[in-house]
Every structure is written in structure tokens, then in C-alpha cells.
Amino acid sequence: QQRKCLDEAIRADPAEIDTLIACYRLPGQPPEYRRKIVDLIERTASSLLTEIEEQPDNAQNYNQLAWLIGNTEGDFDKAVSCAQKALELSPDNGAYCDTLARACFAKGDLPSAVKYQTLAHELEPHSGLISKQLKQFQDALQEKQKPEGKPPPK
């Protein structure tokens, strides 16, 4: 049922970023479906890069590209730099801090992910999604910092 709804959304707008992310994360899909979604992600990323070239001062385009890559696959360094540029163009934007945190997390830079997600939480304290993601990033960082082979302290 979920796939059916997502397929309808893709038909309506094959470049809608959150739909692409949901399709990408859908478990148990056949390889040909996965290839189709990755192809749409790559096309959307390419289109966003063109928009960035045409409108280099539009923070939203940088943020959209970083959000798409950070939540799926692609050049995570590019995602981080685009998220940083969006935040540079629109300082103190909680959503853009959230995107930068997600891009850092995707890249494996957990301390930065926690840093920017904490800032996003401070700027958007009533966002349940930002709070949930902050906990996810904090838990991942804590897990990474555990000494190997030793149980956690009591």
C-alpha cells in the first residue's frame, strides 16, 4: 500500500525530494525499482545543480540538494558544502541547520552532526522531528565512542 501511494506521488512529481527519499528508504524493493529511484535522485540532483548555477544566491536550492543527497546517496562532501552555503546565505535557519546535520551524519562526521542538530533544536525547539533526529545522532555518536570489546560502565 505504501509503495502504491509513493508510486502515485512519483508519477505526479518525479522530482519531489521527500517522495524520492521515502522511495529510496522503502525496504524490500526489487533491484530494478531501486535503480529507477536512484536514477530519479541523480536527475533531480543534476537539476538542482543547474538551478544553483543559475541562482547562486538562492539558499533553498543548496539546502534541497544537500537534503536529497544527505538522505539518500551521492557526494556527501558536496551535500555538506551545499548545506553550509545555504546556512551562510540564511543564517540562524533551523531547517538549514537540520540539513547540515543530516549531511554530516551521512558523511560519518557524527560530532558535527550532533553540533548542528543541537543548533537546529535550539532554533526550532518545538520540532519533534528535529528532536528525534538529535537523539538519533547523539545515540550514534555515543555508540561510536564506546571502547571496543568492553561493556558500557554501570
Side-chain angles (χ1 to χ4, degrees):
Q1 182 65 22
Q2 185 180 10
R3 165 126 181 232
K4 182 180 175 185
C5 292
L6 289 170
D7 286 345
E8 287 177 28
I10 287 287
R11 277 191 292 280
D13 184 357
E16 204 293 307
I17 290 171
D18 288 320
T19 302
L20 290 171
I21 292 167
C23 290
Y24 182 84
R25 292 180 175 173
L26 201 58
Q29 298 307 306
E32 61 274 5
Y33 181 80
R34 179 66 161 208
R35 280 191 299 276
K36 172 188 167 186
I37 296 305
V38 169
D39 183 52
L40 289 171
I41 289 167
E42 289 171 354
R43 281 194 241 163
T44 302
S46 179
S47 177
L48 285 165
L49 283 168
T50 299
E51 289 180 36
I52 286 169
E53 289 173 12
E54 293 171 357
Q55 302 172 10
D57 294 328
N58 183 331
Q60 184 177 4
N61 290 334
Y62 291 98
N63 187 69
Q64 292 285 81
L65 180 59
W67 185 250
L68 177 61
I69 294 171
N71 280 285
T72 59
E73 62 183 58
D75 183 345
F76 295 131
D77 289 326
K78 181 73 170 175
V80 169
S81 68
C82 283
Q84 289 170 329
K85 181 66 175 180
L87 204 49
E88 176 187 313
L89 291 168
S90 184
D92 300 323
N93 184 314
Y96 293 177
C97 289
D98 177 54
T99 298
L100 179 53
R102 171 53 68 179
C104 290
F105 183 79
K107 183 179 173 183
D109 182 355
L110 300 181
S112 293
V114 169
K115 172 185 169 182
Y116 290 111
Q117 196 66 26
T118 300
L119 181 55
H121 184 263
E122 290 169 1
L123 293 167
E124 304 281 343
H126 303 293
S127 170
L129 292 174
I130 287 176
S131 297
K132 182 179 174 183
Q133 194 159 264
L134 175 58
K135 176 152 180 25
Q136 176 191 2
F137 296 169
Q138 288 170 329
D139 290 349
L141 179 60
Q142 186 177 13
E143 185 65 30
K144 184 179 177 183
Q145 292 174 336
K146 283 184 185 175
E148 289 187 37
K150 296 181 182 177
K154 293 184 179 183

